[in-house]
Amino acid sequence: MKNIIALILLVLSLQSYAQKNLIANGGFETNLNNWRGDAATLSPYDRKSGNSSCTITQFTGADWKGIDQIISIPKNTVAIEFSAWIKSDAIEEGKNKWNTGKYDVEFLNAGEKNVSNESVAAITGTTTWTFYKKVITIPVSASKFRVMLALGQTNGTILFDDVKATTLNQNQVNKILEEENAKRSPAVISGNFESKPTEFSNGNFENGITSWRGNATVSTTIFKEGKAALVLNSSTFDWTGIDQIAEVPENVSSITISGWLKSDNIKQGKEIWNNGLLNVEFTGNDNQKTGDDQSVTFVTATTDWTFYTKTFLIPKGTKKYRIMLALGFASGILYADDVAVSFK
């Protein structure tokens, strides 16, 4: 009975944690309280819910016109889900791709200096009320974030309602990743593994991409150890990656995968797993998956060399494993070095 009560309390605590909105007055029910700037007004007539929405209008001049709010990131927060309902009217396309109606997030350090910038939504033209959502991983050095609602040096009208930022801990992020892994396209994630399985090798890329499948290059100027590191570079939101298949030794129950990763301006795609990735896939003799794909880590934005490691129980019936390094429908540059595998 005690165990059941404890489980119920845990579920309720996780639900309340995930549902907490860090943004104060995101529904604009108390005027523009908690928001900085004088660029917005309230609309009691055109709203998604409640009594009013926030409206920013600019007819000429194409200046930056917006409001913002700075918020501290709670402890144990791994990622934040940002969302809002947004409507637009005749927002002009500017000279730059960021000249749009904007829902942006700027991550800040303790001194409120810029760490990285992310776009949750960028809107042009005329649209009806539309729901936008994006999960963003917290950069290592960030302790605060700034939410910006604006017309980014363009003219038109944009309306916001129900603006939210909800926290996600590591368990919740892992759960999302598991669900997203299950949805991935078989053409991208699965393959016909006709090659003979071998021991994992060349994880330090000192021999180029020998032992790895796929197209990639190595850098001899940017690396963590030795004289080279893997470089994956994409300017489009496509799958760009390499993989290596190896055999699971007999009489082992767990696998530990580790590696050093570095990122340069990686921009997340539509889904949370659309980032830089270090993943593993388990299969049997018939090349059928013996379990869900597992993520060692995913990286976004710009980060220095960081060491990642994770241990997984090997699913029953597993004979082979596949290590994947990729920009998973994300753009930017991912570096990898000293990728290693061990068993127990």
Side-chain angles (χ1 to χ4, degrees):
M1 183 65 181
K2 290 182 179 179
N3 290 338
I4 294 174
I5 294 174
L7 179 60
I8 293 173
L9 291 174
L10 175 61
V11 172
L12 290 175
S13 66
L14 286 175
Q15 288 177 341
S16 63
Y17 185 80
Q19 293 171 353
K20 181 181 178 182
N21 186 10
L22 300 179
I23 297 176
N25 191 28
F28 305 99
E29 297 301 293
T30 56
N31 297 316
L32 290 169
N33 294 346
N34 303 105
W35 293 94
R36 306 188 307 176
D38 58 1
T41 59
L42 296 181
S43 172
Y45 308 107
D46 196 348
R47 60 195 187 277
K48 180 59 184 178
S49 65
N51 297 316
S52 59
S53 67
C54 163
T55 304
I56 301 174
T57 298
Q58 182 165 234
F59 297 110
T60 60
D63 296 323
W64 178 278
K65 194 171 184 181
I67 58 174
D68 68 357
Q69 189 175 143
I70 294 179
I71 300 151
S72 295
I73 300 172
K75 291 181 179 180
N76 301 320
T77 301
V78 174
I80 297 177
E81 180 183 283
F82 294 93
S83 63
W85 285 91
I86 304 175
K87 181 178 180 180
S88 65
D89 182 24
I91 297 179
E92 300 173 358
E93 294 185 8
K95 296 180 180 179
N96 304 299
K97 62 180 181 180
W98 53 268
N99 295 147
T100 62
K102 303 178 72 63
Y103 177 6
D104 282 1
V105 178
E106 179 186 25
F107 286 100
L108 309 166
N109 62 20
E112 297 190 359
K113 299 296 184 181
N114 176 275
V115 175
S116 65
N117 296 283
E118 297 283 348
S119 172
V120 179
I123 301 103
T124 57
T126 299
T127 62
T128 59
W129 282 108
T130 305
F131 183 69
Y132 296 85
K133 181 179 73 173
K134 186 174 184 180
V135 176
I136 301 175
T137 307
I138 306 300
V140 175
S141 58
S143 60
K144 300 180 181 180
F145 66 89
R146 181 164 68 114
V147 170
M148 294 172 280
L149 311 178
L151 288 171
Q153 294 186 1
T154 187
N155 300 317
T157 297
I158 189 165
L159 297 88
F160 299 90
D161 207 351
D162 293 337
V163 182
K164 295 181 180 180
T166 55
T167 55
L168 297 172
N169 60 27
Q170 188 62 63
N171 288 336
Q172 292 164 326
V173 170
N174 290 343
K175 182 64 176 177
I176 293 173
L177 283 173
E178 290 174 6
E179 293 173 350
E180 293 299 337
N181 282 337
K183 298 177 183 177
R184 297 185 191 180
S185 168
V188 173
I189 299 304
S190 298
N192 182 16
F193 308 142
E194 296 178 351
S195 59
K196 183 179 179 181
T198 59
E199 291 185 0
F200 181 81
S201 62
N202 193 31
N204 57 11
F205 303 98
E206 295 300 295
N207 295 317
I209 59 169
T210 300
S211 302
W212 294 87
R213 306 188 308 176
N215 296 318
T217 60
V218 296
S219 170
T220 56
T221 57
I222 299 176
F223 49 82
K224 179 59 183 177
E225 301 289 347
K227 298 180 180 179
L230 172 73
V231 183
L232 295 173
N233 191 342
S234 178
S235 59
T236 60
F237 290 87
D238 297 316
W239 180 274
T240 303
I242 62 172
D243 65 356
Q244 184 175 160
I245 306 164
E247 193 171 59
V248 176
E250 294 183 359
N251 302 319
V252 297
S253 59
S254 67
I255 181 173
T256 298
I257 302 167
S258 62
W260 287 88
L261 300 181
K262 174 183 169 67
S263 61
D264 184 5
N265 195 32
I266 294 180
K267 295 181 179 179
Q268 179 180 305
K270 294 181 179 180
E271 308 292 346
I272 185 176
W273 59 270
N274 297 157
N275 288 289
L277 302 170
L278 173 55
N279 282 7
V280 61
E281 178 188 65
F282 300 106
T283 58
N285 280 329
D286 55 0
N287 294 325
Q288 296 297 312
K289 290 186 181 183
T290 55
D292 293 333
D293 294 352
Q294 299 294 332
S295 172
V296 178
T297 190
F298 61 101
V299 293
T300 188
T302 299
T303 63
D304 201 355
W305 285 109
T306 305
F307 182 72
Y308 301 94
T309 183
K310 201 166 185 180
T311 299
F312 305 97
L313 292 176
I314 298 174
K316 184 179 179 180
T318 298
K319 300 298 181 181
K320 292 173 283 187
Y321 64 95
R322 180 163 69 125
I323 303 297
M324 293 171 277
L325 285 160
L327 289 168
F329 303 109
S331 66
I333 304 175
L334 176 67
Y335 300 91
D337 205 352
D338 284 349
V339 179
V341 174
S342 63
F343 297 92
K344 282 188 178 180

